[in-house]
Amino acid sequence: MSARSARSARSARSAREADSGWRRLDPRVVRAAGSWCALLIAGVALLMWWRGAPWWLQLCLPVPLLGMLGHEVLRWLRTYYRVTPERIELRTGVLVRNHRSVLRERVRSVDITAEPMHRIFGIATVKVGTGQQAGSSDEAALTLDALAAADAAALREELMRRAAGGGAYEKDAYDTLARIDWRWLRFAVLSVSVPLLGAAAVGGLYNVLDTVGADPDRVLIPWVWDRLSTVDLLPVVIVASVLALLLVGAVGSLGLYVEMWWGFRLVREAGGALRVTRGLVVTRSVTLEEERLRGVEIAEPLMLRRGGGACTYAVATGMGTAEEEISSENRSALLPPAPLGEAHRVAAVVLREEVCPTASVRLVPHTRHALGRRLRLAFLAGALAAGVLVALGVWLAEVLVQIGWVSGLVVTGAGALFAVDSFRNLGHGITGRYLVTRHGSLKRRTIALRRDGVIGWKVAQWAWHRRSGLARVTATTAGGRGAYHVKDVLLPEGLRFADEATPGLLRQFLVAGHRTNARTR
Amino acid sequence: MVSPRSTRPADDRPVLRPPSNRVERRSIGWWTSQAVVVVVPPVCVLVLLALLIEPARPWLLLSAAVVGVPGVVTMAVMPVWRYRVHRWETTGDAVYTRAGWVRQEWRIAPLSRIQTVDTVRGPLQQLFGLATVTVTTASAAGAVKIDGLDHAFARDLVDELTRVTQATPGDAT
């Protein structure tokens, strides 16, 4: 009897909610948050027991757990969302109430993320983006944290169907454009993250030892030092430990690659939207509406380039900014680090071109003025390093003078190598609907930008480059980083390029260059 | 400028012509006072400290010189230089500006891609009766700014640009 009345009460309440359309988040968010908190507290309790913390400190342990649980319950109680035919609305906030409403026709992206605890409890976070303004993607988004995994997928489909113009949208109609190939795993080790992760592992080990009370500063390190000083082959030990560090870093990089790109698949849905799904522990699904696409970027960090690999990114409005690019949360990645040929193939398919513009374009190399500028900068950097150290050496200690000379030479030499490489990488060109620009040495970027996606031009020139005519020509766009440069190009050539890329816009501001010197002609 | 080839804009060696309008001459005063506000207080503080703290006097005077000498040079050179560079123009379909001093920057934004137009008046600008017109587009790379306009004139310009851009369909991306 009581069970039935409870059920009828529940159905009455859900009917009332259905009337107004307001729905709650999935109640399992409380359990997921509580589990994280409980895990953390169990860890701290174990540590306290091991280190013999006083009993009153241990008694305080449940306080944060209760606080956290209380906050989550309150948050769940006070958060409602509603999807109407016109808009999607979210009412949230424990102390400060917040009502956010997004027009459904403005919805440009729907991302679904599930961290491990979410996956255990079968829920997922939905982020709705409007793609209004690059650089403020976070503010524009409406976040539902979290819904049942099935509800999240259904919501994504409902919103994207609307964005695709309704009508012919079938749930499982899509083309698979790319999927993970585990032979690409070799590119994981061609990354700066290898030494960084190796160093981080050492730092992490130190911290763990310190926390469990092994006192590395006074016990472990002197002990290791003593043992090392008895060994004759110190160079061997140093080389071996560096190798071990790199090995640890490589294993870490491989692990990261597997975590990020597990089950990677790039599909085009029937409505034209592109969807990337990936992730082993944290699963991510990013949907990108095709009309937001402005081009592609092929990025080749130095080591990856030497290994024949490349990263592929979409240049799309509202897909985040430069600082997001390095993070694992990068939403514009179209492909894991993969062979250059595969990057070009996928970029071409994504742009619906036969050949990727970054591959088909004939790039115009830049003149030697650009090389001269880069070499001068390298020399200046070397001179500065040497100058500062030598000046300090004359004043403080003789040895600094020697170090100064050597480091000046090293900086100049390395700088010159980078100068030559980055000069060789410079180029710009136009092919079909795209303008293409390439620059960079430590990270060579080749960007293909749709010519009709250019929303302005910027030309910058230093006073001391007026005679040589060296300048930077920048196309601004609503997508990606917002500005893409043609670096160190001679001004007439850069202007001709810009004029050809966007016919009619620049022409009215151009005059014949009879005032420039004929020397470089 | 009267070479016969200047009638053919798409010459094989094109250059950007200067935008047609200068900014207000009062801007020189505004830029000078901006530089004064940035440079003078730290130099004064350093000199004052040098007078008070005997042992550190050479070092404090040295740092005052390191800040002050380039500062004074900037104060002397920058405003007039800027006044010669800063120019602007609006045509039927674009906003075109030139700005900067050591580093010059030309910017072109088509009217059809403009999202917002507004004026900014800092305290110093108000003192000189000036305003900056800021034209934003959907790009994250920054807005097109026209510094140093008479503030009443700037208001009219904003009204005009807003009217023109509102007449253009599309979401300007």
Side-chain angles (χ1 to χ4, degrees):
Chain A
M1 180 62 196
S2 69
R4 216 171 75 197
S5 70
R7 202 180 308 133
S8 68
R10 204 180 305 144
S11 67
R13 197 183 58 204
S14 61
R16 207 166 52 240
E17 278 171 8
D19 282 345
S20 58
W22 288 102
R23 280 181 278 174
R24 280 221 169 99
L25 301 176
D26 195 281
R28 285 171 288 184
V29 289
V30 179
R31 276 192 271 166
S35 306
W36 272 127
C37 208
L39 265 182
L40 193 69
I41 284 180
V44 176
L46 199 67
L47 195 66
M48 281 188 173
W49 169 77
W50 172 259
R51 301 287 304 261
W55 60 270
W56 52 269
L57 204 58
Q58 302 198 25
L59 273 188
C60 290
L61 269 179
V63 173
L65 176 64
L66 291 177
M68 173 82 193
L69 273 178
H71 178 265
E72 274 300 299
V73 169
L74 273 180
R75 189 178 76 87
W76 178 76
L77 277 173
R78 308 212 59 180
T79 303
Y80 292 93
Y81 72 99
R82 174 163 80 164
V83 184
T84 68
E86 293 84 34
R87 51 182 66 237
I88 168 165
E89 288 171 274
L90 176 68
R91 276 162 45 180
T92 185
V94 173
L95 290 176
V96 182
R97 296 294 286 165
N98 183 352
H99 185 166
R100 184 167 281 194
S101 164
V102 174
L103 277 177
R104 278 179 65 176
E105 64 187 35
R106 291 280 164 81
V107 171
R108 293 289 178 271
S109 70
V110 182
D111 302 349
I112 300 177
T113 322
E115 40 107 343
M117 206 54 88
H118 280 174
R119 292 180 67 191
I120 289 172
F121 288 101
I123 54 180
T125 303
V126 180
K127 278 189 182 169
V128 179
T130 53
Q132 273 298 296
Q133 176 71 272
S136 63
S137 56
D138 254 12
E139 292 158 40
L142 181 147
T143 305
L144 302 175
D145 182 14
L147 307 182
D151 287 351
L155 182 63
R156 187 192 79 82
E157 256 148 37
E158 191 186 343
L159 291 174
M160 288 319 285
R161 178 172 62 230
R162 179 60 171 234
Y169 186 93
E170 289 158 50
K171 193 177 167 188
D172 292 321
Y174 51 73
D175 295 328
T176 300
L177 308 184
R179 49 174 79 239
I180 189 73
D181 179 343
W182 287 113
R183 281 174 299 176
W184 302 344
L185 201 56
R186 66 180 189 273
F187 294 119
V189 293
L190 296 175
S191 160
V192 283
S193 65
V194 170
L196 291 183
L197 281 175
V202 172
L205 185 68
Y206 176 91
N207 271 333
V208 167
L209 288 175
D210 199 27
T211 314
V212 299
D215 200 0
D217 277 335
R218 256 170 280 160
V219 183
L220 271 176
I221 291 177
W223 180 79
V224 171
W225 194 249
D226 280 352
R227 299 300 294 265
L228 280 185
S229 52
T230 61
V231 180
D232 287 337
L233 298 164
L234 197 59
V236 176
V237 172
I238 290 175
V239 168
S241 44
V242 167
L243 282 180
L245 203 80
L246 289 179
L247 190 69
V248 170
V251 170
S253 289
L254 289 173
L256 264 185
Y257 191 100
V258 171
E259 200 287 310
M260 278 175 65
W261 300 104
W262 183 266
F264 162 80
R265 209 159 58 135
L266 171 66
V267 301
R268 172 176 280 129
E269 301 183 331
L274 296 162
R275 178 155 56 106
V276 174
T277 46
R278 60 191 175 98
L280 178 65
V281 181
V282 179
T283 57
R284 310 168 183 89
S285 156
V286 179
T287 310
L288 158 66
E289 211 191 317
E290 193 167 29
E291 69 178 42
R292 297 165 51 214
L293 201 62
R294 295 289 182 275
V296 293
E297 172 174 332
I298 308 277
E300 300 160 278
L302 189 59
M303 279 193 288
L304 199 58
R305 174 150 56 101
R306 292 272 172 264
C311 303
T312 315
Y313 300 104
V315 175
T317 58
M319 279 310 256
T321 50
E323 68 264 24
E324 258 191 350
E325 186 187 327
I326 40 170
S327 83
S328 60
E329 297 300 321
N330 188 339
R331 297 160 61 229
S332 56
L334 291 173
L335 200 65
L340 188 58
E342 176 70 5
H344 282 318
R345 183 190 73 78
V346 168
V349 176
V350 163
L351 295 174
R352 294 186 192 270
E353 298 285 329
E354 290 207 345
V355 188
C356 180
T358 53
S360 67
V361 70
R362 212 176 57 80
L363 286 175
V364 180
H366 291 197
T367 55
R368 303 194 72 78
H369 300 86
L371 177 62
R373 172 169 194 229
R374 273 136 215 272
L375 286 174
R376 279 196 298 278
L377 285 178
F379 178 75
L380 271 179
L384 196 70
V388 168
L389 284 172
V390 168
L392 282 175
V394 168
W395 182 46
L396 293 172
E398 190 72 13
V399 66
L400 275 177
V401 176
Q402 317 293 336
I403 296 175
W405 279 118
V406 174
S407 59
L409 283 177
V410 168
V411 168
T412 309
L417 286 179
F418 280 120
V420 171
D421 183 47
S422 88
F423 165 67
R424 286 199 183 129
N425 289 339
L426 283 175
H428 61 277
I430 290 174
T431 172
R433 294 194 299 153
Y434 297 87
L435 65 89
V436 181
T437 171
R438 190 170 71 188
H439 52 77
S441 174
L442 273 175
K443 190 173 205 172
R444 181 168 88 173
R445 305 173 192 281
T446 313
I447 298 114
L449 184 64
R450 269 219 338 243
R451 285 157 65 183
D452 57 9
V454 175
I455 61 172
W457 288 96
K458 208 162 79 172
V459 177
Q461 187 175 48
W462 290 98
W464 46 84
H465 287 150
R466 289 192 70 176
R467 267 175 63 91
S468 67
L470 217 53
R472 164 184 290 193
V473 176
T474 303
T476 59
T477 178
R481 270 192 290 280
Y484 292 96
H485 309 292
V486 179
K487 290 182 175 173
D488 294 336
V489 65
L490 288 191
L491 195 51
E493 169 58 23
L495 293 175
R496 205 160 39 203
F497 168 77
D499 185 34
E500 194 188 334
T502 55
L505 178 56
L506 235 65
R507 186 63 59 90
Q508 55 189 325
F509 305 122
L510 297 181
V511 290
H514 58 278
R515 284 186 304 126
T516 56
N517 55 339
R519 199 165 49 95
T520 51
R521 195 158 185 167
Chain B
M1 286 302 260
V2 276
S3 140
R5 280 165 59 207
S6 66
T7 55
R8 277 172 38 215
D11 186 76
D12 62 335
R13 289 189 59 76
V15 294
L16 284 164
R17 69 173 168 78
S20 54
N21 308 309
R22 282 195 175 213
V23 299
E24 292 289 327
R25 214 186 157 77
R26 302 198 290 275
S27 305
I28 298 180
W30 169 48
W31 285 318
T32 311
S33 53
Q34 258 188 334
V36 168
V37 166
V38 172
V39 172
V40 170
V43 172
C44 285
V45 169
L46 284 170
V47 170
L48 193 69
L49 286 177
L51 291 177
L52 295 177
I53 307 169
E54 171 102 47
R57 188 166 291 168
W59 294 110
L60 285 166
L61 284 178
L62 183 68
S63 27
V66 166
V67 178
V69 171
V72 168
V73 171
T74 306
M75 262 188 273
V77 175
M78 181 271 280
V80 178
W81 194 340
R82 270 196 189 278
Y83 179 66
R84 291 171 61 158
V85 171
H86 278 240
R87 283 171 164 269
W88 64 276
E89 179 176 345
T90 59
T91 67
D93 56 357
V95 178
Y96 175 38
T97 65
R98 188 175 76 180
W101 52 300
V102 178
R103 188 172 190 265
Q104 290 191 17
E105 200 168 272
W106 293 260
R107 279 173 177 253
I108 295 157
L111 293 187
S112 60
R113 308 297 191 140
I114 289 175
Q115 286 197 327
T116 63
V117 188
D118 47 50
T119 56
V120 184
R121 304 184 67 202
L124 281 177
Q125 273 176 305
Q126 287 179 28
L127 220 61
F128 287 91
L130 295 170
T132 297
V133 170
T134 308
V135 177
T136 61
T137 63
S139 166
V144 179
K145 283 184 179 175
I146 311 173
D147 284 330
L149 297 177
D150 178 75
H151 77 98
F153 181 80
R155 220 167 35 223
D156 294 344
L157 184 65
V158 166
D159 288 344
E160 192 194 321
L161 284 175
T162 311
R163 208 176 50 245
V164 176
T165 51
Q166 268 171 357
T168 318
D171 71 344
T173 60

